[in-house]
């Protein structure tokens, strides 16, 4: 990994980092609802995102990426528990 020098006018302790993701895809498995050891509700599922492109040979190609999603916010978990199923197309944002 290459490390870039930090300019002298930037205080690294004052800098803010952002880790945000936006995904739109299809639920790949039946969502798993459970409670953690602390008794908090959670739901997890896989999400497939894909893109298509036309190759130099004129043939269409498809690439699929799989993402593992875990949701811990109680109100969202309760809604998803009754609504979300395998094959659903969803849009999600998270950090």
């Amino acid at each position: 990994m290459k490390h870039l020098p930090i300019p002298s006018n930037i205080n690294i302790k004052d800098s803010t980092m952002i880790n945000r993701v936006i995904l739109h895809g299809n639920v790949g498995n039946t969502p798993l609802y459970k409670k953690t050891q602390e008794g908090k509700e959670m739901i997890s599922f896989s999400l497939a995102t894909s893109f298509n492109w036309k190759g130099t040979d004129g043939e269409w190609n498809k690439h699929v990426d799989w993402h593992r999603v875990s949701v811990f916010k109680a109100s969202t978990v309760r809604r998803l528990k009754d609504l979300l199923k395998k094959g659903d197309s969803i849009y999600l944002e998270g950090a």
Side-chain angles (χ1 to χ4, degrees):
M1 176 185 295
K2 185 176 181 179
H3 295 279
L4 300 175
I6 299 171
S8 60
N9 64 333
I10 295 178
N11 182 346
I12 197 162
K13 292 179 183 177
D14 294 336
S15 66
T16 302
M17 295 185 195
I18 297 173
N19 182 10
R20 184 159 199 76
V21 67
I22 299 172
L23 296 171
H24 178 241
N26 296 315
V27 177
N29 63 329
T30 301
L32 174 64
Y33 168 80
K34 64 181 179 179
K35 289 192 176 187
T36 65
Q37 291 178 347
E38 295 82 24
K40 294 184 178 184
E41 296 175 302
M42 71 164 292
I43 196 164
S44 61
F45 55 93
S46 59
L47 184 71
T49 58
S50 63
F51 64 92
N52 301 314
W53 75 95
K54 196 172 195 178
T56 55
D57 58 0
E59 294 291 317
W60 281 98
N61 300 289
K62 182 175 189 173
H63 176 79
V64 178
D65 286 311
W66 288 94
H67 311 271
R68 193 82 188 130
V69 179
S70 297
V71 180
F72 295 94
K73 185 176 179 183
S75 60
T76 305
V77 169
R78 286 192 292 275
R79 280 187 304 201
L80 292 178
K81 184 171 83 168
D82 297 327
L83 295 174
L84 197 61
K85 62 185 182 305
K86 181 179 178 178
D88 285 349
S89 177
I90 64 168
Y91 171 92
L92 65 86
E93 292 186 41

